[in-house]
Amino acid sequence: EPYDGIEYSAAVALGFASLENVAYLLSFGWETILLRGFFSVVAHVLFAAIWGYPLAMSKVHHERTRWYVWFWLVAAMAAHGLFDFLLFSQHWYTLLIIPLFIGAVVIYIGYIRRANRISPCKIEGK
């Protein structure tokens, strides 16, 4: 199922975000969680989908080569690293989180729409 990559990567991302937030809580205090709490959890799901969907598509369609999956894995890791860097930098460019977040949402919505369109398990009438 094409949607499975998004779903499974989101589940893993939620677990990772939880552990990462606990680590930040222990290292930097509860004030950090006020900033990171909501945005980091959602961002982890969005960034995980950047890799999860291409991984599922490579398994479903067998049309992608290994470099394709590795490319999107590196892209997801880079997006996560950039997100963390921007979130903790206290400069004007911290505001670049907004276009990064919006871009990840656009990619996520595009993946969901494509997965629903090509899914072999469509529900009639929807």
Side-chain angles (χ1 to χ4, degrees), residues 16-25 28-44 47 80-88 97 101:
F16 180 80
S18 298
L19 289 175
E20 190 177 56
N21 281 338
V22 168
Y24 281 119
L25 174 68
F28 301 107
W30 64 271
E31 298 89 358
T32 304
I33 296 301
L34 293 177
L35 180 61
R36 287 190 55 87
F38 173 73
F39 290 109
S40 71
V41 172
V42 174
H44 279 85
F47 299 146
H80 178 262
L82 181 61
F83 177 80
D84 281 344
F85 171 76
L86 292 174
L87 196 60
F88 280 110
I97 276 185
F101 203 81

PDB file of all heavy atoms in Angstrom, residues 16-25 28-44 47 80-88 97 101:
ATOM      1  N   PHE A  16      10.481   8.749  18.071  1.00  0.00           N
ATOM      2  CA  PHE A  16      11.760   9.452  18.095  1.00  0.00           C
ATOM      3  C   PHE A  16      11.598  10.845  18.688  1.00  0.00           C
ATOM      4  O   PHE A  16      12.414  11.289  19.496  1.00  0.00           O
ATOM      5  CB  PHE A  16      12.347   9.530  16.688  1.00  0.00           C
ATOM      6  CG  PHE A  16      13.656  10.247  16.630  1.00  0.00           C
ATOM      7  CD1 PHE A  16      14.832   9.603  16.992  1.00  0.00           C
ATOM      8  CD2 PHE A  16      13.722  11.565  16.228  1.00  0.00           C
ATOM      9  CE1 PHE A  16      16.039  10.268  16.955  1.00  0.00           C
ATOM     10  CE2 PHE A  16      14.932  12.234  16.190  1.00  0.00           C
ATOM     11  CZ  PHE A  16      16.090  11.595  16.553  1.00  0.00           C
ATOM     12  N   ALA A  17      10.544  11.567  18.284  1.00  0.00           N
ATOM     13  CA  ALA A  17      10.309  12.923  18.795  1.00  0.00           C
ATOM     14  C   ALA A  17      10.088  12.905  20.304  1.00  0.00           C
ATOM     15  O   ALA A  17      10.554  13.798  21.017  1.00  0.00           O
ATOM     16  CB  ALA A  17       9.111  13.550  18.093  1.00  0.00           C
ATOM     17  N   SER A  18       9.395  11.886  20.779  1.00  0.00           N
ATOM     18  CA  SER A  18       9.167  11.778  22.221  1.00  0.00           C
ATOM     19  C   SER A  18      10.481  11.613  22.977  1.00  0.00           C
ATOM     20  O   SER A  18      10.731  12.299  23.976  1.00  0.00           O
ATOM     21  CB  SER A  18       8.249  10.597  22.528  1.00  0.00           C
ATOM     22  OG  SER A  18       6.992  10.790  21.937  1.00  0.00           O
ATOM     23  N   LEU A  19      11.317  10.717  22.507  1.00  0.00           N
ATOM     24  CA  LEU A  19      12.621  10.511  23.157  1.00  0.00           C
ATOM     25  C   LEU A  19      13.508  11.751  23.054  1.00  0.00           C
ATOM     26  O   LEU A  19      14.196  12.114  24.008  1.00  0.00           O
ATOM     27  CB  LEU A  19      13.326   9.306  22.554  1.00  0.00           C
ATOM     28  CG  LEU A  19      12.719   7.949  22.889  1.00  0.00           C
ATOM     29  CD1 LEU A  19      13.439   6.844  22.134  1.00  0.00           C
ATOM     30  CD2 LEU A  19      12.781   7.699  24.379  1.00  0.00           C
ATOM     31  N   GLU A  20      13.481  12.383  21.900  1.00  0.00           N
ATOM     32  CA  GLU A  20      14.293  13.586  21.722  1.00  0.00           C
ATOM     33  C   GLU A  20      13.816  14.706  22.643  1.00  0.00           C
ATOM     34  O   GLU A  20      14.633  15.421  23.235  1.00  0.00           O
ATOM     35  CB  GLU A  20      14.242  14.033  20.258  1.00  0.00           C
ATOM     36  CG  GLU A  20      15.237  15.124  19.939  1.00  0.00           C
ATOM     37  CD  GLU A  20      15.234  15.500  18.481  1.00  0.00           C
ATOM     38  OE1 GLU A  20      14.161  15.863  17.952  1.00  0.00           O
ATOM     39  OE2 GLU A  20      16.313  15.444  17.874  1.00  0.00           O
ATOM     40  N   ASN A  21      12.498  14.842  22.801  1.00  0.00           N
ATOM     41  CA  ASN A  21      11.978  15.874  23.697  1.00  0.00           C
ATOM     42  C   ASN A  21      12.344  15.595  25.156  1.00  0.00           C
ATOM     43  O   ASN A  21      12.613  16.526  25.916  1.00  0.00           O
ATOM     44  CB  ASN A  21      10.469  16.020  23.528  1.00  0.00           C
ATOM     45  CG  ASN A  21      10.117  16.831  22.301  1.00  0.00           C
ATOM     46  OD1 ASN A  21      10.918  17.612  21.806  1.00  0.00           O
ATOM     47  ND2 ASN A  21       8.911  16.637  21.804  1.00  0.00           N
ATOM     48  N   VAL A  22      12.352  14.339  25.548  1.00  0.00           N
ATOM     49  CA  VAL A  22      12.788  13.999  26.904  1.00  0.00           C
ATOM     50  C   VAL A  22      14.261  14.379  27.083  1.00  0.00           C
ATOM     51  O   VAL A  22      14.650  14.937  28.116  1.00  0.00           O
ATOM     52  CB  VAL A  22      12.555  12.501  27.211  1.00  0.00           C
ATOM     53  CG1 VAL A  22      13.261  12.081  28.485  1.00  0.00           C
ATOM     54  CG2 VAL A  22      11.072  12.212  27.295  1.00  0.00           C
ATOM     55  N   ALA A  23      15.072  14.090  26.074  1.00  0.00           N
ATOM     56  CA  ALA A  23      16.493  14.448  26.155  1.00  0.00           C
ATOM     57  C   ALA A  23      16.669  15.957  26.253  1.00  0.00           C
ATOM     58  O   ALA A  23      17.493  16.442  27.050  1.00  0.00           O
ATOM     59  CB  ALA A  23      17.242  13.903  24.942  1.00  0.00           C
ATOM     60  N   TYR A  24      15.910  16.711  25.459  1.00  0.00           N
ATOM     61  CA  TYR A  24      15.994  18.171  25.538  1.00  0.00           C
ATOM     62  C   TYR A  24      15.481  18.686  26.883  1.00  0.00           C
ATOM     63  O   TYR A  24      16.019  19.641  27.427  1.00  0.00           O
ATOM     64  CB  TYR A  24      15.218  18.836  24.397  1.00  0.00           C
ATOM     65  CG  TYR A  24      15.966  18.836  23.104  1.00  0.00           C
ATOM     66  CD1 TYR A  24      15.468  18.195  21.982  1.00  0.00           C
ATOM     67  CD2 TYR A  24      17.195  19.482  22.981  1.00  0.00           C
ATOM     68  CE1 TYR A  24      16.150  18.190  20.790  1.00  0.00           C
ATOM     69  CE2 TYR A  24      17.901  19.485  21.790  1.00  0.00           C
ATOM     70  CZ  TYR A  24      17.362  18.838  20.699  1.00  0.00           C
ATOM     71  OH  TYR A  24      18.061  18.845  19.523  1.00  0.00           O
ATOM     72  N   LEU A  25      14.460  18.049  27.418  1.00  0.00           N
ATOM     73  CA  LEU A  25      13.935  18.432  28.728  1.00  0.00           C
ATOM     74  C   LEU A  25      15.000  18.255  29.813  1.00  0.00           C
ATOM     75  O   LEU A  25      15.223  19.146  30.631  1.00  0.00           O
ATOM     76  CB  LEU A  25      12.698  17.600  29.065  1.00  0.00           C
ATOM     77  CG  LEU A  25      12.106  17.781  30.453  1.00  0.00           C
ATOM     78  CD1 LEU A  25      11.511  19.169  30.610  1.00  0.00           C
ATOM     79  CD2 LEU A  25      11.061  16.725  30.719  1.00  0.00           C
ATOM     80  N   PHE A  28      18.059  20.870  28.786  1.00  0.00           N
ATOM     81  CA  PHE A  28      17.855  22.321  28.709  1.00  0.00           C
ATOM     82  C   PHE A  28      16.715  22.841  29.581  1.00  0.00           C
ATOM     83  O   PHE A  28      16.479  24.037  29.617  1.00  0.00           O
ATOM     84  CB  PHE A  28      17.603  22.740  27.255  1.00  0.00           C
ATOM     85  CG  PHE A  28      18.731  22.388  26.336  1.00  0.00           C
ATOM     86  CD1 PHE A  28      18.594  21.352  25.428  1.00  0.00           C
ATOM     87  CD2 PHE A  28      19.923  23.079  26.382  1.00  0.00           C
ATOM     88  CE1 PHE A  28      19.631  21.023  24.572  1.00  0.00           C
ATOM     89  CE2 PHE A  28      20.963  22.757  25.530  1.00  0.00           C
ATOM     90  CZ  PHE A  28      20.819  21.725  24.621  1.00  0.00           C
ATOM     91  N   GLY A  29      15.976  21.970  30.225  1.00  0.00           N
ATOM     92  CA  GLY A  29      14.903  22.419  31.103  1.00  0.00           C
ATOM     93  C   GLY A  29      13.548  22.461  30.417  1.00  0.00           C
ATOM     94  O   GLY A  29      13.429  22.325  29.202  1.00  0.00           O
ATOM     95  N   TRP A  30      12.532  22.656  31.234  1.00  0.00           N
ATOM     96  CA  TRP A  30      11.156  22.596  30.728  1.00  0.00           C
ATOM     97  C   TRP A  30      10.816  23.754  29.806  1.00  0.00           C
ATOM     98  O   TRP A  30       9.897  23.658  29.004  1.00  0.00           O
ATOM     99  CB  TRP A  30      10.175  22.532  31.898  1.00  0.00           C
ATOM    100  CG  TRP A  30      10.182  23.762  32.761  1.00  0.00           C
ATOM    101  CD1 TRP A  30      10.968  23.994  33.847  1.00  0.00           C
ATOM    102  CD2 TRP A  30       9.384  24.914  32.588  1.00  0.00           C
ATOM    103  NE1 TRP A  30      10.712  25.230  34.369  1.00  0.00           N
ATOM    104  CE2 TRP A  30       9.725  25.825  33.609  1.00  0.00           C
ATOM    105  CE3 TRP A  30       8.410  25.281  31.670  1.00  0.00           C
ATOM    106  CZ2 TRP A  30       9.135  27.066  33.724  1.00  0.00           C
ATOM    107  CZ3 TRP A  30       7.819  26.536  31.790  1.00  0.00           C
ATOM    108  CH2 TRP A  30       8.188  27.404  32.814  1.00  0.00           C
ATOM    109  N   GLU A  31      11.541  24.872  29.897  1.00  0.00           N
ATOM    110  CA  GLU A  31      11.263  26.013  29.022  1.00  0.00           C
ATOM    111  C   GLU A  31      11.460  25.648  27.554  1.00  0.00           C
ATOM    112  O   GLU A  31      10.753  26.141  26.673  1.00  0.00           O
ATOM    113  CB  GLU A  31      12.153  27.204  29.378  1.00  0.00           C
ATOM    114  CG  GLU A  31      11.954  27.739  30.770  1.00  0.00           C
ATOM    115  CD  GLU A  31      12.847  27.043  31.797  1.00  0.00           C
ATOM    116  OE1 GLU A  31      13.604  26.118  31.440  1.00  0.00           O
ATOM    117  OE2 GLU A  31      12.772  27.426  32.977  1.00  0.00           O
ATOM    118  N   THR A  32      12.430  24.789  27.308  1.00  0.00           N
ATOM    119  CA  THR A  32      12.710  24.360  25.940  1.00  0.00           C
ATOM    120  C   THR A  32      11.534  23.578  25.361  1.00  0.00           C
ATOM    121  O   THR A  32      11.209  23.724  24.180  1.00  0.00           O
ATOM    122  CB  THR A  32      13.985  23.485  25.905  1.00  0.00           C
ATOM    123  OG1 THR A  32      15.038  24.224  26.484  1.00  0.00           O
ATOM    124  CG2 THR A  32      14.340  23.089  24.501  1.00  0.00           C
ATOM    125  N   ILE A  33      10.887  22.793  26.181  1.00  0.00           N
ATOM    126  CA  ILE A  33       9.767  21.980  25.711  1.00  0.00           C
ATOM    127  C   ILE A  33       8.583  22.861  25.315  1.00  0.00           C
ATOM    128  O   ILE A  33       7.814  22.516  24.430  1.00  0.00           O
ATOM    129  CB  ILE A  33       9.357  20.948  26.783  1.00  0.00           C
ATOM    130  CG1 ILE A  33      10.498  19.983  27.019  1.00  0.00           C
ATOM    131  CG2 ILE A  33       8.094  20.198  26.406  1.00  0.00           C
ATOM    132  CD1 ILE A  33      10.942  19.218  25.788  1.00  0.00           C
ATOM    133  N   LEU A  34       8.443  24.006  25.954  1.00  0.00           N
ATOM    134  CA  LEU A  34       7.364  24.919  25.576  1.00  0.00           C
ATOM    135  C   LEU A  34       7.495  25.339  24.113  1.00  0.00           C
ATOM    136  O   LEU A  34       6.497  25.455  23.402  1.00  0.00           O
ATOM    137  CB  LEU A  34       7.359  26.157  26.474  1.00  0.00           C
ATOM    138  CG  LEU A  34       7.015  25.923  27.936  1.00  0.00           C
ATOM    139  CD1 LEU A  34       7.119  27.231  28.718  1.00  0.00           C
ATOM    140  CD2 LEU A  34       5.637  25.311  28.075  1.00  0.00           C
ATOM    141  N   LEU A  35       8.713  25.538  23.662  1.00  0.00           N
ATOM    142  CA  LEU A  35       8.952  25.920  22.272  1.00  0.00           C
ATOM    143  C   LEU A  35       8.945  24.705  21.350  1.00  0.00           C
ATOM    144  O   LEU A  35       8.332  24.718  20.297  1.00  0.00           O
ATOM    145  CB  LEU A  35      10.288  26.656  22.156  1.00  0.00           C
ATOM    146  CG  LEU A  35      10.704  27.137  20.776  1.00  0.00           C
ATOM    147  CD1 LEU A  35       9.675  28.127  20.245  1.00  0.00           C
ATOM    148  CD2 LEU A  35      12.061  27.783  20.852  1.00  0.00           C
ATOM    149  N   ARG A  36       9.605  23.653  21.773  1.00  0.00           N
ATOM    150  CA  ARG A  36       9.759  22.474  20.923  1.00  0.00           C
ATOM    151  C   ARG A  36       8.554  21.550  20.928  1.00  0.00           C
ATOM    152  O   ARG A  36       8.330  20.817  19.979  1.00  0.00           O
ATOM    153  CB  ARG A  36      10.971  21.653  21.370  1.00  0.00           C
ATOM    154  CG  ARG A  36      12.290  22.243  21.033  1.00  0.00           C
ATOM    155  CD  ARG A  36      13.378  21.231  21.292  1.00  0.00           C
ATOM    156  NE  ARG A  36      13.180  19.982  20.606  1.00  0.00           N
ATOM    157  CZ  ARG A  36      13.582  19.719  19.364  1.00  0.00           C
ATOM    158  NH1 ARG A  36      14.195  20.646  18.690  1.00  0.00           N
ATOM    159  NH2 ARG A  36      13.366  18.548  18.818  1.00  0.00           N
ATOM    160  N   GLY A  37       7.815  21.531  22.029  1.00  0.00           N
ATOM    161  CA  GLY A  37       6.781  20.522  22.255  1.00  0.00           C
ATOM    162  C   GLY A  37       5.875  20.252  21.077  1.00  0.00           C
ATOM    163  O   GLY A  37       5.806  19.131  20.585  1.00  0.00           O
ATOM    164  N   PHE A  38       5.173  21.239  20.605  1.00  0.00           N
ATOM    165  CA  PHE A  38       4.225  21.027  19.513  1.00  0.00           C
ATOM    166  C   PHE A  38       4.929  20.955  18.173  1.00  0.00           C
ATOM    167  O   PHE A  38       4.730  20.020  17.403  1.00  0.00           O
ATOM    168  CB  PHE A  38       3.176  22.140  19.484  1.00  0.00           C
ATOM    169  CG  PHE A  38       2.294  22.067  18.282  1.00  0.00           C
ATOM    170  CD1 PHE A  38       1.318  21.085  18.184  1.00  0.00           C
ATOM    171  CD2 PHE A  38       2.457  22.940  17.231  1.00  0.00           C
ATOM    172  CE1 PHE A  38       0.515  20.990  17.053  1.00  0.00           C
ATOM    173  CE2 PHE A  38       1.659  22.862  16.106  1.00  0.00           C
ATOM    174  CZ  PHE A  38       0.681  21.892  16.020  1.00  0.00           C
ATOM    175  N   PHE A  39       5.752  21.942  17.881  1.00  0.00           N
ATOM    176  CA  PHE A  39       6.345  22.035  16.551  1.00  0.00           C
ATOM    177  C   PHE A  39       7.269  20.875  16.224  1.00  0.00           C
ATOM    178  O   PHE A  39       7.285  20.383  15.097  1.00  0.00           O
ATOM    179  CB  PHE A  39       7.085  23.365  16.380  1.00  0.00           C
ATOM    180  CG  PHE A  39       6.164  24.534  16.312  1.00  0.00           C
ATOM    181  CD1 PHE A  39       6.103  25.432  17.353  1.00  0.00           C
ATOM    182  CD2 PHE A  39       5.351  24.717  15.220  1.00  0.00           C
ATOM    183  CE1 PHE A  39       5.244  26.513  17.303  1.00  0.00           C
ATOM    184  CE2 PHE A  39       4.480  25.787  15.164  1.00  0.00           C
ATOM    185  CZ  PHE A  39       4.423  26.687  16.204  1.00  0.00           C
ATOM    186  N   SER A  40       8.027  20.423  17.189  1.00  0.00           N
ATOM    187  CA  SER A  40       8.978  19.358  16.886  1.00  0.00           C
ATOM    188  C   SER A  40       8.280  18.032  16.602  1.00  0.00           C
ATOM    189  O   SER A  40       8.717  17.278  15.735  1.00  0.00           O
ATOM    190  CB  SER A  40       9.996  19.192  18.009  1.00  0.00           C
ATOM    191  OG  SER A  40       9.404  18.643  19.152  1.00  0.00           O
ATOM    192  N   VAL A  41       7.200  17.760  17.295  1.00  0.00           N
ATOM    193  CA  VAL A  41       6.489  16.502  17.051  1.00  0.00           C
ATOM    194  C   VAL A  41       5.890  16.497  15.647  1.00  0.00           C
ATOM    195  O   VAL A  41       6.047  15.537  14.886  1.00  0.00           O
ATOM    196  CB  VAL A  41       5.404  16.278  18.124  1.00  0.00           C
ATOM    197  CG1 VAL A  41       4.543  15.090  17.791  1.00  0.00           C
ATOM    198  CG2 VAL A  41       6.056  16.098  19.490  1.00  0.00           C
ATOM    199  N   VAL A  42       5.230  17.574  15.280  1.00  0.00           N
ATOM    200  CA  VAL A  42       4.651  17.672  13.935  1.00  0.00           C
ATOM    201  C   VAL A  42       5.752  17.665  12.879  1.00  0.00           C
ATOM    202  O   VAL A  42       5.628  17.000  11.841  1.00  0.00           O
ATOM    203  CB  VAL A  42       3.774  18.935  13.816  1.00  0.00           C
ATOM    204  CG1 VAL A  42       3.276  19.128  12.401  1.00  0.00           C
ATOM    205  CG2 VAL A  42       2.600  18.864  14.786  1.00  0.00           C
ATOM    206  N   ALA A  43       6.830  18.387  13.140  1.00  0.00           N
ATOM    207  CA  ALA A  43       7.929  18.443  12.177  1.00  0.00           C
ATOM    208  C   ALA A  43       8.548  17.067  11.961  1.00  0.00           C
ATOM    209  O   ALA A  43       8.882  16.701  10.824  1.00  0.00           O
ATOM    210  CB  ALA A  43       8.994  19.432  12.652  1.00  0.00           C
ATOM    211  N   HIS A  44       8.682  16.278  13.018  1.00  0.00           N
ATOM    212  CA  HIS A  44       9.239  14.931  12.865  1.00  0.00           C
ATOM    213  C   HIS A  44       8.357  14.070  11.959  1.00  0.00           C
ATOM    214  O   HIS A  44       8.864  13.303  11.133  1.00  0.00           O
ATOM    215  CB  HIS A  44       9.411  14.266  14.228  1.00  0.00           C
ATOM    216  CG  HIS A  44      10.634  14.689  14.945  1.00  0.00           C
ATOM    217  ND1 HIS A  44      10.681  15.810  15.724  1.00  0.00           N
ATOM    218  CD2 HIS A  44      11.869  14.137  15.004  1.00  0.00           C
ATOM    219  CE1 HIS A  44      11.887  15.942  16.236  1.00  0.00           C
ATOM    220  NE2 HIS A  44      12.635  14.936  15.808  1.00  0.00           N
ATOM    221  N   PHE A  47       8.920  15.384   8.362  1.00  0.00           N
ATOM    222  CA  PHE A  47      10.234  15.037   7.820  1.00  0.00           C
ATOM    223  C   PHE A  47      10.371  13.535   7.591  1.00  0.00           C
ATOM    224  O   PHE A  47      11.024  13.102   6.644  1.00  0.00           O
ATOM    225  CB  PHE A  47      11.347  15.543   8.737  1.00  0.00           C
ATOM    226  CG  PHE A  47      11.357  17.035   8.911  1.00  0.00           C
ATOM    227  CD1 PHE A  47      11.745  17.599  10.103  1.00  0.00           C
ATOM    228  CD2 PHE A  47      10.962  17.886   7.890  1.00  0.00           C
ATOM    229  CE1 PHE A  47      11.758  18.976  10.278  1.00  0.00           C
ATOM    230  CE2 PHE A  47      10.960  19.260   8.045  1.00  0.00           C
ATOM    231  CZ  PHE A  47      11.358  19.800   9.243  1.00  0.00           C
ATOM    232  N   HIS A  80      15.557  17.732   9.012  1.00  0.00           N
ATOM    233  CA  HIS A  80      15.506  17.644  10.475  1.00  0.00           C
ATOM    234  C   HIS A  80      16.655  18.419  11.108  1.00  0.00           C
ATOM    235  O   HIS A  80      16.465  19.159  12.079  1.00  0.00           O
ATOM    236  CB  HIS A  80      15.542  16.179  10.909  1.00  0.00           C
ATOM    237  CG  HIS A  80      15.538  15.996  12.385  1.00  0.00           C
ATOM    238  ND1 HIS A  80      16.686  15.771  13.102  1.00  0.00           N
ATOM    239  CD2 HIS A  80      14.535  16.031  13.286  1.00  0.00           C
ATOM    240  CE1 HIS A  80      16.387  15.672  14.387  1.00  0.00           C
ATOM    241  NE2 HIS A  80      15.081  15.819  14.523  1.00  0.00           N
ATOM    242  N   GLY A  81      17.833  18.260  10.581  1.00  0.00           N
ATOM    243  CA  GLY A  81      18.988  18.989  11.109  1.00  0.00           C
ATOM    244  C   GLY A  81      18.836  20.490  10.946  1.00  0.00           C
ATOM    245  O   GLY A  81      19.164  21.262  11.860  1.00  0.00           O
ATOM    246  N   LEU A  82      18.343  20.918   9.790  1.00  0.00           N
ATOM    247  CA  LEU A  82      18.117  22.344   9.563  1.00  0.00           C
ATOM    248  C   LEU A  82      17.055  22.880  10.516  1.00  0.00           C
ATOM    249  O   LEU A  82      17.194  23.978  11.064  1.00  0.00           O
ATOM    250  CB  LEU A  82      17.707  22.587   8.110  1.00  0.00           C
ATOM    251  CG  LEU A  82      17.455  24.037   7.711  1.00  0.00           C
ATOM    252  CD1 LEU A  82      18.721  24.873   7.892  1.00  0.00           C
ATOM    253  CD2 LEU A  82      16.964  24.093   6.264  1.00  0.00           C
ATOM    254  N   PHE A  83      16.014  22.099  10.737  1.00  0.00           N
ATOM    255  CA  PHE A  83      14.961  22.489  11.674  1.00  0.00           C
ATOM    256  C   PHE A  83      15.538  22.698  13.078  1.00  0.00           C
ATOM    257  O   PHE A  83      15.289  23.722  13.712  1.00  0.00           O
ATOM    258  CB  PHE A  83      13.871  21.418  11.697  1.00  0.00           C
ATOM    259  CG  PHE A  83      12.772  21.691  12.683  1.00  0.00           C
ATOM    260  CD1 PHE A  83      11.751  22.576  12.379  1.00  0.00           C
ATOM    261  CD2 PHE A  83      12.747  21.052  13.908  1.00  0.00           C
ATOM    262  CE1 PHE A  83      10.738  22.824  13.270  1.00  0.00           C
ATOM    263  CE2 PHE A  83      11.734  21.287  14.812  1.00  0.00           C
ATOM    264  CZ  PHE A  83      10.724  22.178  14.499  1.00  0.00           C
ATOM    265  N   ASP A  84      16.319  21.732  13.562  1.00  0.00           N
ATOM    266  CA  ASP A  84      16.930  21.857  14.887  1.00  0.00           C
ATOM    267  C   ASP A  84      17.872  23.053  14.959  1.00  0.00           C
ATOM    268  O   ASP A  84      17.871  23.803  15.935  1.00  0.00           O
ATOM    269  CB  ASP A  84      17.680  20.586  15.267  1.00  0.00           C
ATOM    270  CG  ASP A  84      16.757  19.485  15.749  1.00  0.00           C
ATOM    271  OD1 ASP A  84      15.595  19.783  16.076  1.00  0.00           O
ATOM    272  OD2 ASP A  84      17.208  18.327  15.807  1.00  0.00           O
ATOM    273  N   PHE A  85      18.678  23.235  13.913  1.00  0.00           N
ATOM    274  CA  PHE A  85      19.606  24.362  13.891  1.00  0.00           C
ATOM    275  C   PHE A  85      18.857  25.690  13.961  1.00  0.00           C
ATOM    276  O   PHE A  85      19.206  26.575  14.756  1.00  0.00           O
ATOM    277  CB  PHE A  85      20.472  24.310  12.628  1.00  0.00           C
ATOM    278  CG  PHE A  85      21.297  25.542  12.429  1.00  0.00           C
ATOM    279  CD1 PHE A  85      22.437  25.758  13.188  1.00  0.00           C
ATOM    280  CD2 PHE A  85      20.935  26.486  11.483  1.00  0.00           C
ATOM    281  CE1 PHE A  85      23.198  26.906  13.011  1.00  0.00           C
ATOM    282  CE2 PHE A  85      21.681  27.626  11.299  1.00  0.00           C
ATOM    283  CZ  PHE A  85      22.819  27.845  12.062  1.00  0.00           C
ATOM    284  N   LEU A  86      17.830  25.830  13.134  1.00  0.00           N
ATOM    285  CA  LEU A  86      17.075  27.081  13.115  1.00  0.00           C
ATOM    286  C   LEU A  86      16.325  27.314  14.414  1.00  0.00           C
ATOM    287  O   LEU A  86      16.213  28.450  14.881  1.00  0.00           O
ATOM    288  CB  LEU A  86      16.101  27.089  11.932  1.00  0.00           C
ATOM    289  CG  LEU A  86      16.723  27.162  10.543  1.00  0.00           C
ATOM    290  CD1 LEU A  86      15.666  27.012   9.468  1.00  0.00           C
ATOM    291  CD2 LEU A  86      17.508  28.455  10.363  1.00  0.00           C
ATOM    292  N   LEU A  87      15.824  26.241  14.996  1.00  0.00           N
ATOM    293  CA  LEU A  87      15.060  26.369  16.233  1.00  0.00           C
ATOM    294  C   LEU A  87      15.937  26.841  17.392  1.00  0.00           C
ATOM    295  O   LEU A  87      15.491  27.620  18.234  1.00  0.00           O
ATOM    296  CB  LEU A  87      14.401  25.032  16.584  1.00  0.00           C
ATOM    297  CG  LEU A  87      13.278  25.066  17.599  1.00  0.00           C
ATOM    298  CD1 LEU A  87      12.139  25.945  17.113  1.00  0.00           C
ATOM    299  CD2 LEU A  87      12.765  23.664  17.861  1.00  0.00           C
ATOM    300  N   PHE A  88      17.183  26.412  17.418  1.00  0.00           N
ATOM    301  CA  PHE A  88      18.054  26.779  18.530  1.00  0.00           C
ATOM    302  C   PHE A  88      18.934  27.992  18.251  1.00  0.00           C
ATOM    303  O   PHE A  88      19.548  28.515  19.174  1.00  0.00           O
ATOM    304  CB  PHE A  88      18.924  25.589  18.938  1.00  0.00           C
ATOM    305  CG  PHE A  88      18.177  24.619  19.792  1.00  0.00           C
ATOM    306  CD1 PHE A  88      17.826  23.381  19.296  1.00  0.00           C
ATOM    307  CD2 PHE A  88      17.805  24.951  21.079  1.00  0.00           C
ATOM    308  CE1 PHE A  88      17.122  22.480  20.073  1.00  0.00           C
ATOM    309  CE2 PHE A  88      17.101  24.068  21.871  1.00  0.00           C
ATOM    310  CZ  PHE A  88      16.763  22.826  21.365  1.00  0.00           C
ATOM    311  N   ILE A  97      12.373  28.899   9.695  1.00  0.00           N
ATOM    312  CA  ILE A  97      11.606  27.714  10.068  1.00  0.00           C
ATOM    313  C   ILE A  97      10.236  27.735   9.399  1.00  0.00           C
ATOM    314  O   ILE A  97       9.714  26.687   9.016  1.00  0.00           O
ATOM    315  CB  ILE A  97      11.460  27.618  11.601  1.00  0.00           C
ATOM    316  CG1 ILE A  97      12.688  26.961  12.176  1.00  0.00           C
ATOM    317  CG2 ILE A  97      10.219  26.890  12.019  1.00  0.00           C
ATOM    318  CD1 ILE A  97      12.626  26.690  13.644  1.00  0.00           C
ATOM    319  N   PHE A 101       8.851  24.645   7.350  1.00  0.00           N
ATOM    320  CA  PHE A 101       7.670  23.945   7.841  1.00  0.00           C
ATOM    321  C   PHE A 101       6.575  23.903   6.769  1.00  0.00           C
ATOM    322  O   PHE A 101       5.976  22.851   6.519  1.00  0.00           O
ATOM    323  CB  PHE A 101       7.164  24.660   9.106  1.00  0.00           C
ATOM    324  CG  PHE A 101       6.338  23.802  10.003  1.00  0.00           C
ATOM    325  CD1 PHE A 101       6.940  22.926  10.884  1.00  0.00           C
ATOM    326  CD2 PHE A 101       4.955  23.876   9.987  1.00  0.00           C
ATOM    327  CE1 PHE A 101       6.187  22.137  11.741  1.00  0.00           C
ATOM    328  CE2 PHE A 101       4.191  23.095  10.828  1.00  0.00           C
ATOM    329  CZ  PHE A 101       4.805  22.222  11.705  1.00  0.00           C
TER     330      PHE A 101
END
